[in-house]
Amino acid sequence: MKIKDSQWITVSRDTGDVVPVFHFGFVADRPVALAELKITALGVYEALLNGERVGDFILAPGWTSYDHRLQVQTYDVTGLLEEENDLRVLVGRGWFRSPMPGWLNSEDKQRRLNQPCGLIAHLKLRFQDGTEKTFATGPDWSWAESHIRFSEIYDGEICDARKDWSSQKDWQPVKLLDWRKDILIPQEGEIIRETGRIAAKRIFKTPQGDTVVDFGQEVTGYVEIALNAHVGDEVLFDHAEVQDRDGNWYNENYRSAKARAKYICREGMQTWHPELTFFGFRYIRLLSWPGEAKKENFTAIAVHSDMKRTGWLKSGNAELNRLFSNIVWGQRGNFLDVPTDCPQRDERLGWTGDAQVFIKTASYLFDTEKFFKKWLHDLAADQRESGEVGQVIPDLMPEGVSSAAWGDAATICPWQVYQTYGDKAVLEDQFDSMRKWVDFIGSVTKTPNLWIDHFHFGDWLGLDAPQGSYKGSTRDDFIASAFYAHSAELVVKAGRLLGKDVSAYERLHRDIVAAFRAAFPDYKTQTEHVLAVHFGLAENPQKTADALAEMVKADGTQLRTGFVGTPYILHVLSNYGHTDLAWDLVLRREYPGWLYPVLKGATTIWEHWDGIREDGSFWSADMNSFNHYSYGAVVDWMFEQAAGIRHAEDKPAFEELIYAPHPDARLGWLQAKLDTRHGTVSALWVCEGDGVRYELDTPVRARVFLGGKAQLVEPGHYTFWTEN
Ligand code: BGC
């Protein structure tokens, strides 16, 4: 018997905001060798067997394109089994039934809130005598209201611990739910887990009299409280990322997301944290607390997809080290089953553009293979008939029109996963989706071989934006056509590796390049220069990179790039002999630059370089996330150019190493360590007296480029030296 033979069950009446708990009692009358629970839900669930949590998957079953794919988890529950067993499963709204995104009209909100709550499960007992017994969800299960009186992604959670809501007399028979089972798939992604506990750093009163707890680090997850209280005492707190310039409470930038947690106490010592939702925060404000709050009462728990860490950077510059840490926290905070733009305001969506901007950096820092493979399957599942790719995946905005550099996640992400991990399976899986995206552009553009006259997000948040606009000055048609060329080229590269006939795409790519050169002979912005070089469109890349360098200097050695240009600008500068300028940009301490937020106390990456301005005021309340990973896409340059470890495109996954570091005396030293599919690479440079010492550990053959000389070395440990 499989889980598909179980029945979907639901509650027998509308419970409003209250989270239901489903119940099943069973007897194991013989010694059990193995007990295995397969389970999933419409919503997010937490299962308890005999009072013990089943597994450590937080917010299971995760977030997928629920119309097409719903992951089923399998747990070995042998250790939790008794003779008489009590299985309970809480099913909260989660992503499935929360009104997301926050700007939905009330009718659409209601439609999402009205989605059914559902549970399907299958428990198999294998007895020591070799016989088996299975229990499936069906009419013999029951349900009751639970202690969770409200739970939703944006607005938070309310728990009433005063009584056991699901006492024996409250159990009611379930209703069967008519819901598809062909959407059920085995768990594909990483497990979402609690991955860290952070003690409160301080508790203080703001000038306006609020009591605020500071964890010293922005995290995504929830706050655990531990307290001694009387029955009925109330705890109420909301969440924030920053304080305003006067040190007062500020969370206007969460927009419509209430992000509140409420707990009604039982008698005595108790601990609690929200169970079926999450928050992005550094601070909480106590709106209600029994007695005097101490910092010992509070612990922040970080929750995210539990990917293995693979990359580390450390330097002689403390501010840069803080930047590295902020980028890692940015990834931890936003890789929560899908790559999200931010974890706090009324979005928390899988914005495709943000994901493609950050994927290379992300894949240096953590092993993202499983994470992205799952998300890309959702991208393909949600891809429209026409090949159009939604702005967010899972696609909660089916009416949203595709944009260049957002939809191109369909080609860029699979290619990056292949490059980092070397397994062609991801290309095999995604090839149709990649091709369909490129075909879609061809089908909607009015000008053959270019992508002209379409809606786009442009160089989002580019600093050369006209007053009052989120879009940089780079021409939409320029960006769209450049990415069209890039995506067509990636289809060619992927197709060739898979042994497919891609001659039509080869021709298309050639034609796009020719049309692009004719249509865009001049480059007007930093981002235009960057794209022309990075995507192989400039006829004379050296000249264009030199012009970019001049432009950057003329702009006061400042970035003007937005989401589109920022991830590539440093690479373009370095690849054409302007690494000193790239370092100037990286080490710039004033706005705009990577170190400015660090000096303003950032612990994650900001959506805007000036999220907090020099005078302490905020850029805006509307689009001002303090945990938005996109501009963290500088780490790949740190590994590849600064520390100097990269691989050629035809040697994916570091089959062979290229070692070409670019030291800068302002740092003193830089160390990079990277776990690759072929072993650990470690590279250090130290500026010493009148030269630089290099220590390289390579598990693979390496091409070393130092002091103007090239040499090939076998795996091993090497020390090199160059004179200044
Ligand atoms: C998100 C971005 C996203 C953008 C689309 C914003 O609201 O937070 O990161 O890519 O919309 O331009």
Side-chain angles (χ1 to χ4, degrees):
M1 192 177 164
K2 299 196 172 75
I3 187 162
K4 287 185 182 167
D5 301 318
S6 304
Q7 288 168 294
W8 277 108
I9 56 172
T10 188
V11 290
S12 52
R13 66 167 167 80
D14 181 14
T15 62
D17 285 334
V18 175
V19 171
V21 56
F22 293 88
H23 173 255
F24 184 69
F26 62 95
V27 176
D29 51 4
R30 282 158 281 161
V32 172
L34 177 74
E36 197 180 70
L37 176 67
K38 286 190 189 295
I39 182 168
T40 191
L42 301 174
V44 289
Y45 74 83
E46 182 181 324
L48 300 158
L49 183 53
N50 301 320
E52 297 285 328
R53 195 181 205 284
V54 173
D56 54 359
F57 194 149
I58 310 296
L59 301 169
W63 192 9
T64 45
S65 158
Y66 296 128
D67 285 346
H68 309 280
R69 295 155 35 81
L70 178 60
Q71 299 183 120
V72 174
Q73 290 72 46
T74 303
Y75 302 98
D76 180 342
V77 293
T78 321
L80 302 179
L81 219 59
E82 288 167 14
E83 210 176 299
E84 287 197 15
N85 294 282
D86 179 301
L87 177 61
R88 296 180 185 209
V89 188
L90 292 155
V91 182
R93 290 189 174 282
W95 294 282
F96 182 72
R97 289 185 292 136
S98 290
M100 302 171 72
W103 52 85
L104 286 185
N105 62 40
S106 51
E107 210 175 287
D108 287 341
K109 257 191 188 140
Q110 205 48 51
R111 212 189 45 239
R112 286 190 54 79
L113 287 165
N114 288 348
Q115 297 258 69
C117 158
L119 175 70
I120 190 164
H122 175 256
L123 179 76
K124 184 171 83 184
L125 302 185
R126 184 150 31 85
F127 297 103
Q128 286 174 10
D129 63 12
T131 58
E132 279 188 6
K133 198 170 187 174
T134 56
F135 302 102
T137 39
D140 47 348
W141 284 55
S142 51
W143 75 277
E145 291 191 1
S146 79
H147 56 286
I148 304 180
R149 312 308 288 170
F150 173 87
S151 181
E152 195 260 278
I153 297 288
Y154 294 149
D155 285 349
E157 199 157 297
I158 300 174
C159 170
D160 185 343
R162 278 176 299 186
K163 68 167 188 150
D164 179 5
W165 290 87
S166 51
S167 68
Q168 211 68 41
K169 63 177 183 351
D170 293 323
W171 295 121
Q172 307 166 52
V174 296
K175 230 173 75 179
L176 296 182
L177 177 69
D178 183 17
W179 204 260
R180 286 168 55 184
K181 294 184 200 162
D182 58 346
I183 53 174
L184 300 179
I185 54 162
Q187 172 67 27
E188 271 187 9
E190 295 283 5
I191 306 288
I192 306 167
R193 289 197 176 92
E194 293 185 352
T195 61
R197 295 175 66 84
I198 299 170
K201 295 282 171 300
R202 64 191 176 114
I203 184 163
F204 62 97
K205 271 231 183 308
T206 67
Q208 282 174 351
D210 286 316
T211 304
V212 171
V213 182
D214 176 8
F215 294 95
Q217 172 63 54
E218 165 136 3
V219 298
T220 298
Y222 33 72
V223 172
E224 182 182 271
I225 53 170
L227 74 168
N228 197 354
H230 292 302
V231 65
D233 282 348
E234 193 181 290
V235 176
L236 178 66
F237 54 92
D238 52 3
H239 298 72
E241 301 181 279
V242 289
Q243 298 173 259
D244 77 6
R245 73 170 126 185
D246 303 317
N248 283 317
W249 182 253
Y250 178 85
N251 69 354
E252 248 178 82
N253 63 327
Y254 285 43
R255 304 195 308 213
S256 71
K258 291 198 185 75
R260 285 196 171 193
K262 180 170 165 177
Y263 177 71
I264 304 169
C265 302
R266 54 171 193 271
E267 192 65 33
M269 266 311 295
Q270 51 209 294
T271 56
W272 173 77
H273 61 69
E275 289 168 82
L276 300 172
T277 187
F278 65 94
F279 308 83
F281 63 98
R282 170 176 165 170
Y283 302 94
I284 58 167
R285 169 173 61 171
L286 301 179
L287 296 161
S288 175
W289 182 268
E292 195 200 337
K294 300 212 168 65
K295 64 180 183 163
E296 291 70 39
N297 297 122
F298 306 93
T299 308
I301 300 181
V303 172
H304 56 86
S305 294
D306 195 7
M307 304 161 293
K308 194 170 154 275
R309 182 81 187 266
T310 50
W312 295 264
L313 290 162
K314 212 172 167 183
S315 77
N317 179 321
E319 291 163 7
L320 204 55
N321 292 342
R322 183 68 232 192
L323 174 69
F324 299 151
S325 163
N326 293 357
I327 296 169
V328 169
W329 275 107
Q331 182 165 356
R332 291 180 67 176
N334 283 295
F335 276 48
L336 206 161
D337 216 35
V338 309
T340 59
D341 56 335
C342 56
Q344 73 300 80
R345 70 176 176 224
D346 54 359
E347 295 210 48
R348 317 189 197 181
L349 302 167
W351 282 98
T352 45
D354 307 43
Q356 72 83 3
V357 162
F358 191 67
I359 185 171
K360 197 173 193 190
T361 280
S363 306
Y364 273 111
L365 293 173
F366 288 87
D367 186 338
T368 64
E369 188 173 24
K370 228 173 158 181
F371 177 88
F372 272 114
K373 276 173 131 179
K374 169 211 166 238
W375 184 72
L376 285 167
H377 288 163
D378 288 308
L379 183 149
D382 274 344
Q383 199 163 356
R384 301 166 196 163
E385 246 342 89
S386 60
E388 186 169 22
V389 174
Q391 298 174 354
V392 297
I393 300 295
D395 194 359
L396 289 189
M397 305 189 294
E399 67 296 338
V401 179
S402 262
S403 160
W406 269 249
D408 294 283
T411 53
I412 294 171
C413 295
W415 183 250
Q416 187 58 53
V417 173
Y418 166 67
Q419 282 292 305
T420 308
Y421 305 110
D423 183 355
K424 284 183 208 159
V426 65
L427 299 178
E428 193 75 68
D429 282 4
Q430 299 301 129
F431 187 74
D432 266 345
S433 156
M434 297 171 76
R435 191 183 49 70
K436 273 165 65 185
W437 166 246
V438 171
D439 293 351
F440 161 75
I441 301 172
S443 73
V444 290
T445 183
K446 296 180 186 85
T447 313
N449 306 317
L450 295 170
W451 194 3
I452 306 289
D453 257 353
H454 190 270
F455 159 83
H456 295 291
F457 290 118
D459 193 15
W460 188 247
L461 309 185
L463 290 172
D464 47 12
Q467 192 65 34
S469 168
Y470 289 127
K471 254 193 208 188
S473 292
T474 298
R475 291 164 284 178
D476 276 5
D477 294 344
F478 188 106
I479 296 174
S481 301
F483 274 84
Y484 187 21
H486 185 51
S487 278
E489 191 178 24
L490 293 180
V491 168
V492 170
K493 287 179 179 171
R496 280 191 194 142
L497 281 164
L498 299 171
K500 296 190 190 280
D501 174 11
V502 283
S503 48
Y505 293 95
E506 285 166 356
R507 267 195 309 280
L508 174 66
H509 179 243
R510 269 199 306 274
D511 292 346
I512 300 174
V513 174
F516 186 93
R517 287 177 176 170
F520 304 107
D522 307 311
Y523 312 130
K524 298 184 194 299
T525 63
Q526 289 187 8
T527 292
E528 290 187 4
H529 286 79
V530 168
L531 293 185
V533 176
H534 202 69
F535 292 161
L537 299 164
E539 274 175 274
N540 186 338
Q542 183 65 58
K543 201 174 130 207
T544 308
D546 292 347
L548 170 67
E550 286 316 310
M551 194 173 203
V552 170
K553 286 184 207 153
D555 284 332
T557 312
Q558 292 178 28
L559 293 164
R560 291 284 179 268
T561 49
F563 275 30
V564 166
T566 305
Y568 309 135
I569 188 169
L570 301 178
H571 290 283
V572 169
L573 290 173
S574 283
N575 286 335
Y576 292 91
H578 299 288
T579 299
D580 288 352
L581 185 57
W583 271 122
D584 289 346
L585 289 174
V586 170
L587 295 176
R588 191 181 152 83
R589 303 171 82 234
E590 300 81 29
Y591 161 82
W594 280 278
L595 295 185
Y596 169 77
V598 167
L599 292 163
K600 282 283 177 193
T603 62
T604 37
I605 298 298
W606 295 354
E607 182 173 20
H608 291 266
W609 300 110
D610 58 346
I612 298 176
R613 294 202 192 103
E614 202 57 84
D615 67 2
S617 63
F618 294 116
W619 179 85
S620 119
D622 178 46
M623 294 283 278
N624 207 7
S625 152
F626 293 94
N627 194 358
H628 228 78
Y629 56 55
S630 291
Y631 286 148
V634 59
V635 153
D636 47 275
W637 179 86
M638 283 289 165
F639 277 100
E640 295 184 0
Q641 302 286 352
I645 52 179
R646 63 193 160 96
H647 61 81
E649 210 171 58
D650 62 348
K651 300 269 187 277
F654 286 88
E655 239 173 81
E656 189 178 284
L657 175 70
I658 295 172
Y659 181 55
H662 289 99
D664 191 291
R666 284 171 283 184
L667 270 71
W669 57 274
L670 176 69
Q671 179 160 43
K673 196 176 121 194
L674 186 67
D675 287 342
T676 76
R677 287 289 183 268
H678 293 276
T680 301
V681 180
S682 159
L684 164 77
W685 51 252
V686 189
C687 298
E688 284 175 344
D690 52 1
V692 182
R693 177 168 57 85
Y694 307 83
E695 304 282 342
L696 173 70
D697 272 296
T698 175
V700 291
R701 178 182 281 196
R703 294 183 184 277
V704 178
F705 299 88
L706 277 174
K709 281 197 298 246
Q711 57 178 310
L712 195 62
V713 302
E714 294 303 319
H717 177 88
Y718 298 90
T719 303
F720 306 101
W721 174 261
T722 57
E723 306 278 336
N724 283 339

